[in-house]
Amino acid sequence: MLDIKYYRQHLDEVAKRLLQRGVTLDTELIQQLESQRKQLQIETQSLQNLRTQRSKAIGQAKAQGQDIQPLLDDVENLGEQLKQKKHELDQRLQALQTIYASLPNLAHESVPIGKDETDNQKIRQWSEPKHWSFTVKDHVELGDGLLDFASAVKITGARFVVLKGQLARLHRALIQFMLDLHTEQHGYTELYVPYIVNQHSLYGTGQLPKFKSDLFEVSNDFYLIPTAEVPMTNLFRDEIVSEEQLPLKRVAHTPCFRREAGASGKDTRGMIRQHQFEKVELVQWVKPETSYQALEELTFHAETVLQKLELPYRVMSLCCGDLGFSAAKTYDLEVWLPGEKNYREISSCSNFEAFQARRMQARFRHHNDKKTIELLHTLNGSGLAVGRTLLAVMENYQDEQGKIAVPQVLQSYMGGQTVIDSSTA
RNA sequence: GGAGAGGUGGCUGAGUGGUCGAAAGCGGCGGUCUUGAAAACCGUUGAGGGUGUGAGCCCUCCCAGGGUUCGAAUCCCUGCUUCUCCGCCA
């Protein structure tokens, strides 16, 4: 959410910038609601003030043994009036809150203008797709025997997978490798977090109220996490940290659960788009003036995983129209998939500025001026999506016989094994 | 799952219907003293919001959400949560 005061004072500018993101703001309605709100709030508060004064007078009179009946008669209607005003005020406040909470973040000035993913801007590219002297297979063919979709359908349903043998181990090796890299070389502290969260947490990071249909609801007020961003970022909900603690950097590996409600028919082959997948997530809490530098660093931390795995990728700056709800700026890392002959998203690194922090009241106290409390800026990025990394490794490390070489950095996590052969694994 | 006791400011903890946003202590910040520091002493010290150019004035918040009352930290209901005991359990 944006600063309410900012909405009030710069409504036209906000409307203009939201339009870049494809969101039309009914400024007239907002202005109308705001002016009603202002009037009702003043009236309500003055009634509350009156009530307090009268109640105190009654208390005093009673303490002195005076007859309080005349005073009670005097306040007879006050409660009813107050109730009425409060109700009217609440209606306006709720209407405004509903509008404000459903509005996305404003894009940073450096974000490319555009409507959809075709307008995303390529920032850089690392390495080149390999040239193959044989017909490459995709991960579904390569994983024959180890990548078991049929069993998953039987156990659960579509968009799940069972991994077996050396492939399951490679999957686990990737997780260990990523966690070790980020904790040992990039300064992140590892976390283990709940995979089920309440609605307050989902509101804080921006999944609720707008994107409920993307989530698996376990029971009333319990949801499976769609990303570790939710439990991690909410660690500092309603907290005031001291400036010296910043930047805070955390990493966690969790499964992620997504309904993929809007994706029916899309990416149905293989394990590109699953209801359950593993992700290693990077989260940072930083001072506002450093958040864009932090975004570059965090993106580089994610890129490092791909570089060490020697997987060709490119970095895309998402345009206004393709930006996620809470993000002010996002870099997507797209890995080369020979089986698809295409780059596919494998990490998304975003600066949310104060958008999430405001929703969750995550703040810091200035070191020099202890009275000053300011909202933090939050960032996160996948470092990386494990399922997609696994299939990227499979497709990029295949040979003519359909065997998969184990990337060098993973070999120590695989007991020294250098090749996965699905016919023997 | 059963029984009992709790949840108050950064922390400890008092407050069981009236001028309480809340005693006291600790901690923090500023000062006096000191060559410096400590000690001692003095002062100060929660958050969110409304309104106003401003000084200020005002509202809300004592786990959360409802309720009773002229008035609620205090009484009632629901939920969450912590601790102790019992049961069950990876």
Side-chain angles (χ1 to χ4, degrees):
Chain A
M1 200 159 88
L2 295 173
D3 188 354
I4 287 175
K5 283 183 191 160
Y6 197 82
Y7 278 123
R8 287 176 189 157
Q9 288 161 16
H10 309 273
L11 195 56
D12 290 335
E13 185 213 324
V14 171
K16 208 167 128 196
R17 290 178 65 187
L18 283 174
L19 203 56
Q20 293 178 338
R21 302 199 50 166
V23 175
T24 311
L25 201 56
D26 189 344
T27 54
E28 220 167 283
L29 174 67
I30 290 176
Q31 271 165 342
Q32 192 193 333
L33 285 168
E34 279 290 2
S35 76
Q36 289 173 352
R37 183 228 96 224
K38 185 167 170 172
Q39 188 56 36
L40 286 166
Q41 193 158 5
I42 291 170
E43 288 172 13
T44 303
Q45 291 187 357
S46 78
L47 279 175
Q48 284 173 324
N49 182 234
L50 187 65
R51 183 188 62 183
T52 307
Q53 301 310 323
R54 294 294 162 86
S55 296
K56 282 183 180 172
I58 290 171
Q60 278 173 352
K62 206 175 169 185
Q64 291 165 17
Q66 295 169 4
D67 179 16
I68 58 167
Q69 195 52 47
L71 291 169
L72 286 178
D73 293 344
D74 192 36
V75 293
E76 204 184 351
N77 299 319
L78 201 55
E80 205 45 51
Q81 276 180 51
L82 186 56
K83 213 170 180 177
Q84 182 66 28
K85 283 284 179 230
K86 229 176 177 170
H87 178 69
E88 286 181 50
L89 176 62
D90 283 346
Q91 280 185 327
R92 306 310 193 283
L93 284 173
Q94 256 173 42
L96 284 165
Q97 175 65 20
T98 303
I99 295 171
Y100 291 148
S102 69
L103 295 173
N105 203 351
L106 300 179
H108 186 250
E109 56 185 14
S110 66
V111 169
I113 305 290
K115 279 208 304 285
D116 52 40
E117 72 271 12
T118 57
D119 295 317
N120 293 345
Q121 191 185 342
K122 185 165 125 183
I123 301 296
R124 60 184 166 268
Q125 177 173 337
W126 186 86
S127 190
E128 289 287 334
K130 208 162 138 184
H131 291 287
W132 308 85
S133 58
F134 54 91
T135 310
V136 295
K137 296 175 175 159
D138 74 3
H139 67 282
V140 178
E141 298 170 273
L142 288 164
D144 188 35
L146 300 180
L147 207 53
D148 186 357
F149 293 100
S151 292
V153 166
K154 180 173 70 182
I155 300 166
T156 309
R159 292 197 193 277
F160 288 89
V161 70
V162 173
L163 302 179
K164 192 176 150 196
Q166 292 306 315
L167 205 60
R169 187 175 190 184
L170 186 64
H171 184 255
R172 174 162 57 90
L174 280 167
I175 295 166
Q176 307 284 32
F177 163 66
M178 291 179 198
L179 283 170
D180 286 349
L181 176 70
H182 297 309
T183 53
E184 288 166 13
Q185 293 185 34
H186 297 150
Y188 291 79
T189 302
E190 185 173 348
L191 298 176
Y192 170 80
V193 295
Y195 303 157
I196 295 177
V197 293
N198 60 34
Q199 59 176 333
H200 297 290
S201 297
L202 288 157
Y203 176 81
T205 34
Q207 282 80 14
L208 287 181
K210 227 185 159 183
F211 304 100
K212 190 173 174 171
S213 62
D214 294 342
L215 302 166
F216 283 109
E217 190 170 0
V218 180
S219 67
N220 203 26
D221 194 31
F222 279 146
Y223 298 83
L224 292 175
I225 56 170
T227 159
E229 162 193 353
V230 181
M232 291 171 82
T233 312
N234 276 283
L235 278 172
F236 293 97
R237 167 151 54 87
D238 294 322
E239 299 285 338
I240 300 173
V241 303
S242 59
E243 187 178 346
E244 304 93 279
Q245 290 175 263
L246 303 175
L248 287 154
K249 297 160 78 177
R250 301 285 185 267
V251 61
H253 150 245
T254 72
C256 304
F257 302 93
R258 299 186 182 178
R259 291 275 294 274
E260 297 296 348
S264 58
K266 223 196 276 179
D267 301 322
T268 48
R269 180 176 167 84
M271 54 184 296
I272 272 279
R273 194 176 296 277
Q274 303 274 284
H275 286 309
Q276 170 186 321
F277 62 95
E278 307 298 299
K279 188 151 59 70
V280 170
E281 185 76 359
L282 305 169
V283 178
Q284 291 196 25
W285 296 257
V286 305
K287 287 191 265 181
E289 62 269 27
T290 63
S291 68
Y292 279 93
Q293 193 198 330
L295 176 63
E296 298 300 322
E297 285 169 12
L298 185 144
T299 305
F300 177 71
H301 296 152
E303 284 179 63
T304 305
V305 178
L306 289 167
Q307 292 183 12
K308 292 202 180 269
L309 290 169
E310 299 182 62
L311 295 169
Y313 68 89
R314 61 183 190 183
V315 181
M316 306 295 287
S317 181
L318 298 194
C319 73
C320 296
D322 202 27
L323 223 47
F325 179 75
S326 304
K329 181 171 186 174
T330 298
Y331 291 124
D332 269 7
L333 306 188
E334 298 183 342
V335 71
W336 176 254
L337 294 183
E340 275 192 29
K341 295 184 176 50
N342 209 350
Y343 285 97
R344 288 302 292 252
E345 177 188 343
I346 197 165
S347 170
S348 196
C349 303
S350 304
N351 183 1
F352 302 94
E353 297 187 0
F355 190 85
Q356 295 179 327
R358 185 172 295 107
R359 287 175 159 239
M360 60 177 86
Q361 288 297 303
R363 294 161 291 169
F364 73 99
R365 192 181 293 278
H366 282 232
H367 179 59
N368 291 327
D369 176 13
K370 297 262 192 276
K371 285 225 184 297
T372 306
I373 291 171
E374 201 177 344
L375 291 167
L376 290 160
H377 277 196
T378 61
L379 303 98
N380 70 53
S382 357
L384 309 161
V386 180
R388 288 189 180 179
T389 310
L390 179 74
L391 71 90
V393 167
M394 290 170 75
E395 294 190 4
N396 281 282
Y397 280 81
Q398 64 181 296
D399 69 10
E400 203 164 358
Q401 285 78 48
K403 292 178 196 158
I404 299 156
V406 176
Q408 187 152 27
V409 289
L410 297 181
Q411 288 173 8
S412 62
Y413 295 94
M414 294 286 290
Q417 193 170 343
T418 56
V419 178
I420 292 174
D421 183 348
S422 62
S423 62
T424 60

